[in-house]
């Protein structure tokens, strides 16, 4: 049944019916880095020699000028100008100008913009860090449900503050800036950039929606029995009658793939389906809107027509794979399905990884 005000949608393409105890869904293993640095950088015009809390040391491989080198590293034009004007790009201790010629074999040192050390506020708990970039340019944190990513002016503690607290505890340099948003009631993986020079590179990665560079997989419980995978290619826009809601059927393109992992019975006695959801666009409330429009709202999603349950919204940003925009390495990050999900749901999630 669609949620109130939502049209009943038919998936643009229906995939074959699932079979077997695990429904035949393709399994993916998530673990540590899978692409060695040397292999990832084989075709780049540079090689990262090492990283420190203060900057990067880079071996240059081609003929270029300083400004071009910084652009190749992912810096914006303004970011490159700031690095050069502040004397933070050097070769053998000599500050380089914008048009300085580089030759193969040059070793460059790029110093990060100095950041005032954050003070440790004992009242702010440290976030759980799932991954810290070996180059010190980014990290991933595990967001709990009922926590904002950014401040909203109410003074509530945010994930960004908790990440800053974790960085102080672990001696990680930088100024964290969230690269992704999750709804307050959604839990799971959130990426952060740590140095302003490289934020445009990570912003571009997130904005590209290129599954070969960045892919996201969510775990959710939806109401009812979803018997087969559903690929939904339906645009999403703002609901003109309710500013809190989004509307399926008009607006920006949105693509979601729902793959059932198994069914379970909720404490209320209602039937639910555990699903893996892969998205290739990042619209507000995308999974929630598409699920409701299919007639299977996310369990606990009162905004889109689901019944109330203990544990809140059953939606979790589960697994993320990214190709590092500077090193070229591929990383895989996972946030375990939290205990607010029923035990049977967590068992299905574990089975889906094998």
């Amino acid at each position: 049944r669609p949620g109130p005000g939502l049209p009943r949608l038919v998936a643009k393409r229906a995939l074959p019916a699932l079979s077997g105890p695990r429904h035949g869904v393709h399994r993916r293993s998530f673990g540590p880095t899978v692409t060695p640095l040397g292999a990832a950088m084989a075709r780049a015009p540079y090689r990262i020699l090492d990283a420190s809390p203060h900057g990067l040391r880079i071996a240059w491989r081609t003929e270029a000028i300083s400004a071009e080198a910084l652009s190749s590293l992912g810096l914006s034009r303004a970011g490159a100008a700031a690095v050069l004007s502040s004397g933070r790009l050097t070769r053998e201790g000599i500050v380089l100008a914008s048009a300085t010629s580089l030759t193969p074999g040059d070793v460059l040192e790029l110093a990060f913009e100095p950041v005032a050390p954050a003070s440790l506020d004992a009242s702010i708990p440290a976030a759980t860090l799932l991954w810290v970039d070996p180059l010190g340019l980014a990290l991933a944190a595990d967001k709990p449900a009922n926590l904002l990513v950014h401040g909203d002016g109410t003074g509530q503690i945010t994930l960004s503050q908790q990440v800053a607290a974790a960085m102080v505890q672990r001696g990680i340099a930088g100024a964290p800036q969230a690269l992704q948003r999750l709804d307050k009631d959604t839990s799971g993986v959130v990426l952060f950039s740590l140095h302003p020079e490289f934020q445009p590179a990570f912003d571009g990665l997130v904005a590209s929606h290129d599954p070969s560079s960045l892919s996201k997989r969510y775990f959710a419980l939806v109401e009812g029995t979803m018997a087969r995978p559903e690929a939904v290619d339906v645009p999403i826009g703002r609901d003109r009658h309710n500013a809190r809601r989004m509307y399926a059927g008009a607006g920006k393109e949105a693509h979601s793939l729902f793959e059932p992992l198994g069914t379970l019975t909720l404490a209320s006695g209602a039937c639910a389906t555990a699903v893996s959801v892969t998205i290739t666009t990042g619209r507000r409330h995308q999974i929630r809107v598409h699920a409701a429009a299919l007639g299977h709202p996310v369990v606990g999603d009162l905004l889109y027509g689901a019944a109330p349950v203990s544990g809140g919204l059953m939606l979790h940003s589960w697994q993320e794979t990214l190709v590092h925009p500077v090193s070229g390495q591929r990383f895989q990050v996972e946030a375990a399905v939290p205990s607010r999900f029923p035990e049977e749901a967590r068992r299905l999630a574990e089975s889906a990884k094998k």
Side-chain angles (χ1 to χ4, degrees), residues 5-7 235-240 245-251 289 304:
L6 292 167
I236 292 176
R238 292 192 176 275
D239 188 324
R240 293 180 299 168
R245 290 163 49 95
M246 303 297 285
Y247 175 80
V289 171
Y304 292 100

Side-chain angles (χ1 to χ4, degrees), residues 71-94:
S71 177
S72 297
L73 285 163
L75 276 70
S76 66
R77 182 176 298 179
V83 167
L84 293 165
S85 65
S86 58
R88 290 188 281 122
L89 183 68
T90 61
R91 178 179 55 192
E92 297 181 354
I94 299 173

Side-chain angles (χ1 to χ4, degrees), residues 211-222:
S212 66
S213 299
L214 181 71
S215 63
K216 296 188 69 175
R217 189 184 186 199
Y218 287 75
F219 181 81
L221 299 183
V222 298

Side-chain angles (χ1 to χ4, degrees), residues 14 34 38 45 65-66 88 117 159 165 177 179 204 215 247 249 269 272 308 315 326 344:
V34 297
I65 61 174
S66 299
R88 290 188 281 122
L159 179 64
Q177 179 64 46
L179 294 164
S215 63
Y247 175 80
L315 179 60
V326 178
E344 176 64 10

Side-chain angles (χ1 to χ4, degrees), residues 312-331:
L313 183 71
M314 294 288 108
L315 179 60
H316 178 69
S317 178
W318 188 21
Q319 298 164 333
E320 194 155 336
T321 302
L322 67 144
V323 176
H324 195 294
V326 178
S327 73
Q329 284 181 281
R330 183 177 296 273
F331 294 97

